[in-house]
Amino acid sequence: MEIKFTNSLTRKKEVFQPIEAGKVGIYSCGPTVYATPHIGNFRAFIFADLLRRSLEFLGFEVKHVMNITDVGHLTSDENEGEDKLEKGARIEGTSPLGLARKYEAEFRRDLQKLNILTPTELPRASEHIAEQIELIKTLKKKGFTYETSDGIYFDTSKFKNYGKLGGQKMEEKAAGKRIAVKSEKRNPADFALWKFCIGENANHILRWDLETGEDLSPKSKVQSPKSKSGFPGWHLECSAMSLKYLAPEILQTTCGELCRTTNYKLQTAIDIHTGGVDHIPVHHENEIAQSEAATDRKFVNFWLHNEFLTVDGGKMSKSLGNLFTLEDLEKRGFDPLAFRYFCLNSNYRGKLNFSWEALQNSQNALQNLRKIYQNLPDGTVVDSEVEKFGTALADDLNSPQALAVVWDFAKSPIANRATLRKFDEVLGLNLEKKEEAIKLNTEQKKLLTERAAARAAKDFERADAIRKEFEKMGFEIEDTSDKQIVKRKL
Ligand code: AMP
Ligand code: ZN
């Protein structure tokens, strides 16, 4: 079956061919673990999971690598500001790695709740310092770097294809920037490969020796920090870890300088790289520049980017109070997989606006589908339906169309569980799940008690107001003469 993906590199829908027949390597930019990931982040991870599961469904052996950023991501995606982990740790009164492990655990917990398959590898940036230093050394040898008072920078003017992903020219990038702060940089688009622990980063806890890779953080035994003590820039970790886990032979030939002396086939390093659209102009552009400059070959064949999850058409942000975590959804009585359904019901390339009503509709649809599934005979897999489902996925991961195939089939006279189970290998909606008894939180229980009292006192206005509040939270209240029965709204 022909598989097509929209490639951000060409801005076209193209036929996908893996580098090695039957196998696919996917690299996905993972979370920066300084806070609980929000549901926008999870849209990106659900999309990466859909890609992986779809390719497996279509017969490929997939290796999926996702990084955990636990050092080097500054508050600005470019080179300024404080490290998000160091800042978070200071606020929470813990160590940067203590903070990182706490939020990595939350991230892993939420992956499970959303039925996102654990990536084959989930490497941490702080545990791949040697590989990052190796890349810096290669780039230095090839003349792509220069040093300023605060770090080692990549000289984008030396890389002739800089800007090919976002379609931006260097001049546009320069013009679009506010006056470059601390302008020791040669070109506005140049980015840090390594930051020294000086100036605003003087107290950076996680630090290493640039020459030897030795750990120089306070907990290490190595005394007297050397002049080059510092930490890697955020973009570098993704090049180092994607190459290490998906194209190790390429990394070896690069670092061992073998590529020019052997008959090495200059194939592309990686099949597919994913991330949110916000990463296109800086992070992914920079990953391409440093990887291709270091390895002399194309870094990635297919760049796939998910659009944003929005709220009221705009950005989710802490300051606007519209940033939600999976826990927020669960507190309102939602099944995390209703959010998965909500994401799958729209194409990854379009913006998706989050609202409680829309999530409720997804939850209703999911519960209906489960009910239908659980009342069907088992039967045997209907190949023609599997083919239709696969065709939808092969068309640029058209998951809304795949769901339409599921619904048509589920309502048809030939519907059976075996086929729906096959679909669920990709959808991950846990069709076997039985409806649980509703668990109300303390506040909801209090409201219900208040409503019972209001009814007894014939205060129907208050009783109705509370019913409406429950409706907003996705529940219905059925009154009997002496009881209130709470049900999920369908
Ligand atoms: P971060 O932890 O900030 O590095 O982001 C992790 C992933 O989530 C990246 O691929 C981002 O592009 C993606 N992302 C961040 N915010 C959103 C959003 N609102 N909608 C969809 N994806 C997002
Ligand atoms: Zn990345």
Side-chain angles (χ1 to χ4, degrees):
M1 186 183 296
E2 195 172 73
I3 300 172
K4 286 186 171 178
F5 295 132
T6 300
N7 190 351
S8 307
L9 207 53
T10 55
R11 289 164 210 92
K12 284 195 197 109
K13 202 145 114 176
E14 293 177 342
V15 176
F16 172 73
Q17 293 283 0
I19 296 164
E20 195 182 334
K23 294 188 175 176
V24 183
I26 305 173
Y27 184 84
S28 301
C29 286
T32 306
V33 283
Y34 70 109
T36 308
H38 55 72
I39 54 172
N41 298 133
F42 280 112
R43 182 181 192 202
F45 306 138
I46 288 172
F47 151 65
D49 187 56
L50 168 70
L51 172 66
R52 172 202 176 152
R53 285 177 182 254
S54 298
L55 286 166
E56 284 175 348
F57 188 85
L58 295 168
F60 293 92
E61 187 187 316
V62 179
K63 182 167 183 187
H64 186 202
V65 181
M66 183 184 282
N67 64 308
I68 301 279
T69 301
D70 57 0
V71 66
H73 195 168
L74 304 186
T75 45
S76 128
D77 275 1
E78 304 193 31
N79 313 287
E80 291 103 34
E82 202 180 344
D83 188 319
K84 291 185 182 186
L85 267 298
E86 301 263 335
K87 186 176 171 187
R90 204 161 23 76
I91 294 167
E92 290 198 21
T94 177
S95 69
L97 287 187
L99 186 87
R101 299 302 172 258
K102 171 182 158 192
Y103 289 116
E104 181 185 320
E106 289 194 0
F107 164 69
R108 286 173 180 267
R109 177 201 63 198
D110 289 354
L111 283 188
Q112 301 239 316
K113 287 187 177 176
L114 287 166
N115 245 344
I116 295 173
L117 300 176
T118 308
T120 327
E121 302 281 353
L122 262 174
R124 296 167 176 153
S126 69
E127 292 170 0
H128 293 78
I129 299 299
E131 290 84 349
Q132 297 180 68
I133 291 178
E134 204 58 48
L135 268 185
I136 297 176
K137 286 182 178 166
T138 305
L139 290 169
K140 189 172 174 199
K141 236 185 275 171
K142 291 185 166 184
F144 284 100
T145 66
Y146 63 92
E147 191 169 323
T148 69
S149 60
D150 78 339
I152 312 271
Y153 282 78
F154 184 94
D155 186 342
T156 50
S157 68
K158 299 254 166 77
F159 182 70
K160 72 173 187 325
N161 280 328
Y162 191 82
K164 69 176 173 182
L165 184 65
Q168 281 189 80
K169 298 216 167 57
M170 290 281 277
E171 310 82 66
E172 288 169 11
K173 229 175 164 162
K177 278 209 159 156
R178 280 171 288 131
I179 313 131
V181 204
K182 286 190 228 124
S183 246
E184 274 182 73
K185 286 203 292 187
R186 292 183 187 163
N187 312 286
D190 292 357
F191 55 93
L193 297 165
W194 189 261
K195 293 282 274 188
F196 300 137
C197 290
I198 57 161
E200 60 186 343
N201 290 308
N203 298 320
H204 204 277
I205 293 169
L206 296 174
R207 52 175 75 196
W208 294 267
D209 184 302
L210 179 57
E211 296 308 318
T212 64
E214 266 178 313
D215 182 357
L216 298 176
S217 62
K219 72 165 178 40
S220 88
K221 300 209 170 50
V222 183
Q223 296 297 307
S224 64
K226 310 194 173 77
S227 57
K228 295 286 157 66
S229 102
F231 57 95
W234 171 46
H235 317 299
L236 192 61
E237 68 174 83
C238 286
S239 292
M241 297 195 284
S242 61
L243 290 169
K244 172 171 176 171
Y245 290 100
L246 293 171
E249 67 296 343
I250 289 175
L251 200 57
Q252 267 159 26
T253 49
T254 307
C255 300
E257 289 295 312
L258 280 174
C259 50
R260 279 188 195 78
T261 55
T262 62
N263 228 351
Y264 206 88
K265 210 170 97 213
L266 287 179
Q267 75 208 16
T268 307
I270 294 166
D271 289 305
I272 305 177
H273 194 312
T274 76
V277 285
D278 53 326
H279 284 348
I280 296 175
V282 179
H283 184 50
H284 289 166
E285 206 72 78
N286 294 351
E287 274 189 45
I288 292 177
Q290 65 205 0
S291 307
E292 298 195 349
T295 62
D296 285 327
R297 72 189 70 210
K298 192 173 173 192
F299 178 41
V300 169
N301 275 337
F302 277 77
W303 285 90
L304 269 60
H305 289 101
N306 64 279
E307 249 298 352
F308 260 46
L309 181 77
T310 57
V311 181
D312 301 325
K315 205 177 169 220
M316 275 196 302
S317 78
K318 265 199 184 128
S319 55
L320 292 173
N322 62 7
L323 187 154
F324 303 111
T325 64
L326 204 57
E327 209 182 343
D328 295 327
L329 271 49
E330 287 180 289
K331 273 193 198 142
R332 294 225 194 177
F334 285 100
D335 179 337
L337 295 181
F339 180 67
R340 187 175 169 104
Y341 186 104
F342 174 66
C343 291
L344 295 177
N345 205 21
S346 106
N347 191 281
Y348 75 94
R349 295 201 313 114
K351 284 199 175 70
L352 175 58
N353 196 43
F354 176 80
S355 69
W356 294 108
E357 290 72 24
L359 186 63
Q360 186 62 53
N361 291 337
S362 290
Q363 175 137 310
N364 296 346
L366 174 60
Q367 287 173 353
N368 282 337
L369 189 61
R370 283 178 179 156
K371 242 190 250 163
I372 293 174
Y373 170 84
Q374 288 162 20
N375 289 317
L376 283 172
D378 204 46
T380 48
V381 175
V382 183
D383 289 337
S384 57
E385 293 295 318
V386 172
E387 172 99 15
K388 267 195 244 169
F389 183 77
T391 305
L393 297 172
D395 180 16
D396 204 11
L397 300 174
N398 192 342
S399 50
Q401 178 58 30
L403 275 174
V405 171
V406 171
W407 276 106
D408 282 348
F409 175 72
K411 290 179 178 167
S412 75
I414 56 160
N416 64 32
R417 288 212 304 268
T419 312
L420 287 172
R421 253 198 319 275
K422 182 90 190 135
F423 297 154
D424 211 26
E425 286 173 16
V426 176
L427 301 173
L429 294 172
N430 201 355
L431 295 180
E432 308 273 353
K433 190 178 166 191
K434 297 260 184 314
E435 254 342 284
E436 289 165 12
I438 292 170
K439 280 192 220 121
L440 297 179
N441 63 30
T442 325
E443 207 172 305
Q444 289 162 336
K445 281 184 196 153
K446 241 168 66 189
L447 271 176
L448 216 55
T449 315
E450 190 191 332
R451 187 169 180 274
R455 282 180 75 211
K458 302 212 178 319
D459 180 357
F460 297 118
E461 209 174 307
R462 182 65 192 138
D464 271 356
I466 296 176
R467 176 198 294 283
K468 287 210 174 87
E469 275 187 56
F470 269 83
E471 279 173 2
K472 268 194 232 149
M473 294 186 280
F475 299 112
E476 268 170 355
I477 302 178
E478 198 182 295
D479 289 323
T480 64
S481 56
D482 60 340
K483 263 202 225 139
Q484 308 174 91
I485 302 163
V486 182
K487 293 182 174 168
R488 283 216 173 83
K489 216 161 71 180
L490 281 185

